[in-house]
Amino acid sequence: MKDKRKRTLAVHAGTRRSQYNEVSEAIFLTQGFVYDTAEQAEARFIKAGRDEFIYARYGNPTVAMFEDRIAALEGAEDAFATASGMAAVNGALTAMLKAGDHVVSSRALFGSCLYILEDILRRFGVEVTLVDGTDLAQWKAALRPGTRAVFFESVSNPTLEVIDIRSVSELAHAVGATVVVDNVFSTPVFSDAIAQGADVVVYSATKHIDGQGRALGGVILGSREFIRKTVEPYLKHTGGAMSPFTAWMMLKGLETMDLRVRAQAQSTLTIARALQGHPKLGRVIYPGLPDHPQHALAMRQTGSGGTVLTIDAGTREAAFALLNALEIVLISNNLGDAKSIATHPATTTHQRLPADQKELLGITPGLIRLSVGLEDPDDLLEDLNGALARI
Ligand SMILES: *Cc1c(COP(=O)(O)O)cnc(C)c1O
């Protein structure tokens, strides 16, 4: 399978068949595994091979299929699946850091990622420097010999700033830091993060991998050494494992992800173009539009603007009125879903942030994040234009 293209890997990579030779992946809904002998049990606890399982918190055949499939897609040596995207972000960082370490991170992050960096890591004595991730000079100034890790969202939530994986990785590697990229908005379909220099890539599988709003999940991808020697010991003992049933849903999600995500990205571009310059909207932020400050970088890095755009209705009142006037687009907070979803970050996902932080991150009172789904884009545009006309 190794030399095959992404779409083929997404359907076949990692498949393990039972003695029944089933076509669709089996769900091994079991917490444990029986040993033939006491000696075998002992040997497995000393060293378990890739297909020798002990306990579902450590690994499970259905989960291993998902891990191998997403690793093949991402071009990573190995992967560890987690119960949620946040378990993956936390696992990747906490597994490698200790008190006294220094981390540099971009400031424009998903609220929970910011909580891990600013609250949890600092509480355990990790020094965290936050920078404007789009400004290479700030990365350069913050990095120093002994900086242990660098963390950023390759496309930030919700303001869709694109960060240069190749350049930041070069700067980070020059001081020996490990580069951890939260790649959710780039999606595994458009990602080439490892080839561009990322050491570790993290996804919330809740987003495009499931893509149908059914389950939480996450995955950490990296070198075999990092996944098995650093991540696995931490996660298998702290309980962030993905359930086998979830892994099966994610495997099914991967099979259709390419088609879904490309269609969604195409619709997002259509909608972004149509809404640009609308008299009732301020900014229309979409990396696929030529006026986006990192448009050229986005095209070089992923070749797509992705499946999310952000609009500014001006005030909180206008944003709420717009959300409440939508008929097809749902008010919710997932993204990458088959159903289009609108979110008001200032009062929901980023509510926790103090006003000055929101301002610094460009999370204005009128900002709406729009995740474009699989509906007919003409219906979505009619819904958005109709709602805009009524406010
Ligand atoms: C959703 C999201 C997460 C968290 O994932 P969960 O599956 O909700 O835990 C982390 N990072 C980014 C960029 C996200 O969009």
Side-chain angles (χ1 to χ4, degrees), residues 107 178 289 293 362:
R107 188 178 287 115
T178 299
L289 291 177

Side-chain angles (χ1 to χ4, degrees), residues 185-332:
F185 280 63
S186 295
T187 84
V189 171
F190 300 124
S191 168
D192 198 21
I194 293 202
Q196 286 159 356
D199 300 299
V200 181
V201 174
V202 172
Y203 286 105
S204 163
T206 317
K207 311 295 164 57
H208 305 83
I209 295 175
D210 174 17
Q212 289 148 87
R214 301 168 293 191
L216 288 173
V219 66
I220 306 168
L221 300 123
S223 69
R224 181 140 304 136
E225 165 99 9
F226 181 76
I227 295 297
R228 294 301 146 201
K229 300 251 169 72
T230 301
V231 168
E232 184 188 297
Y234 177 78
L235 274 163
K236 80 180 188 185
H237 295 302
T238 54
M242 176 180 276
S243 94
F245 190 72
T246 297
W248 178 80
M249 279 192 274
M250 297 307 176
L251 280 162
K252 295 292 112 183
L254 284 178
E255 291 181 349
T256 58
M257 179 177 64
D258 191 279
L259 289 172
R260 285 187 282 105
V261 168
R262 284 183 199 281
Q264 286 170 254
Q266 191 57 49
S267 294
T268 314
L269 179 61
T270 303
I271 291 167
R273 280 183 179 144
L275 291 183
Q276 226 180 359
H278 191 289
K280 288 192 181 161
L281 291 177
R283 299 177 294 169
V284 173
I285 308 172
Y286 183 59
L289 291 177
D291 75 343
H292 186 283
Q294 294 97 35
H295 173 68
L297 170 63
M299 293 301 110
R300 207 162 59 236
Q301 193 154 285
T302 56
S304 169
T307 68
V308 178
L309 78 150
T310 298
I311 55 180
D312 199 328
T315 62
R316 173 192 153 123
E317 289 65 37
F320 274 31
L322 178 57
L323 289 174
N324 293 338
L326 291 166
E327 286 169 0
I328 298 171
V329 179
L330 307 174
I331 306 171
S332 189

Side-chain angles (χ1 to χ4, degrees), residues 84-86 89 110 113 153 157 182 184-185 204 206-207 216-217 335:
S84 68
M86 287 323 303
V89 172
F110 181 59
C113 294
E153 292 175 10
N157 176 21
D182 180 335
V184 166
F185 280 63
S204 163
T206 317
K207 311 295 164 57
L216 288 173
L335 61 94

Side-chain angles (χ1 to χ4, degrees), residues 45-286:
F45 269 81
I46 294 168
K47 188 172 172 27
R50 189 74 183 112
D51 276 299
E52 294 175 343
F53 298 97
I54 295 172
Y55 192 60
R57 173 150 45 75
Y58 295 20
N60 169 288
T62 314
V63 177
M65 286 194 255
F66 169 66
E67 290 169 342
D68 287 357
R69 187 168 296 177
I70 183 79
L73 260 182
E74 194 68 30
E77 281 177 14
D78 213 338
F80 198 97
T82 56
S84 68
M86 287 323 303
V89 172
N90 183 60
L93 292 171
T94 314
M96 82 166 110
L97 295 170
K98 60 178 186 319
D101 280 346
H102 178 232
V103 176
V104 183
S105 170
S106 67
R107 188 178 287 115
L109 296 176
F110 181 59
S112 302
C113 294
L114 205 56
Y115 181 77
I116 289 176
L117 284 146
E118 286 199 297
D119 290 73
I120 299 177
L121 292 180
R122 279 182 181 156
R123 202 195 308 154
F124 289 97
V126 175
E127 189 190 342
V128 179
T129 307
L130 297 175
V131 298
D132 173 349
T134 62
D135 183 354
L136 288 177
Q138 288 195 24
W139 286 105
K140 210 170 197 165
L143 287 160
R144 59 185 194 227
T147 299
R148 182 75 185 83
V150 153
F151 179 76
F152 59 92
E153 292 175 10
S154 52
V155 180
S156 73
N157 176 21
T159 49
L160 309 180
E161 292 178 349
V162 184
I163 295 181
D164 186 339
I165 297 175
R166 194 179 292 280
S167 301
V168 174
S169 298
E170 274 170 20
L171 293 173
H173 291 156
V175 298
T178 299
V179 177
V180 182
V181 178
D182 180 335
N183 217 22
V184 166
F185 280 63
S186 295
T187 84
V189 171
F190 300 124
S191 168
D192 198 21
I194 293 202
Q196 286 159 356
D199 300 299
V200 181
V201 174
V202 172
Y203 286 105
S204 163
T206 317
K207 311 295 164 57
H208 305 83
I209 295 175
D210 174 17
Q212 289 148 87
R214 301 168 293 191
L216 288 173
V219 66
I220 306 168
L221 300 123
S223 69
R224 181 140 304 136
E225 165 99 9
F226 181 76
I227 295 297
R228 294 301 146 201
K229 300 251 169 72
T230 301
V231 168
E232 184 188 297
Y234 177 78
L235 274 163
K236 80 180 188 185
H237 295 302
T238 54
M242 176 180 276
S243 94
F245 190 72
T246 297
W248 178 80
M249 279 192 274
M250 297 307 176
L251 280 162
K252 295 292 112 183
L254 284 178
E255 291 181 349
T256 58
M257 179 177 64
D258 191 279
L259 289 172
R260 285 187 282 105
V261 168
R262 284 183 199 281
Q264 286 170 254
Q266 191 57 49
S267 294
T268 314
L269 179 61
T270 303
I271 291 167
R273 280 183 179 144
L275 291 183
Q276 226 180 359
H278 191 289
K280 288 192 181 161
L281 291 177
R283 299 177 294 169
V284 173
I285 308 172
Y286 183 59

Side-chain angles (χ1 to χ4, degrees), residues 359-370:
E359 198 178 307
L360 192 63
L361 295 176
I363 303 170
T364 48
L367 206 73
I368 293 173
R369 185 186 79 190
L370 183 64

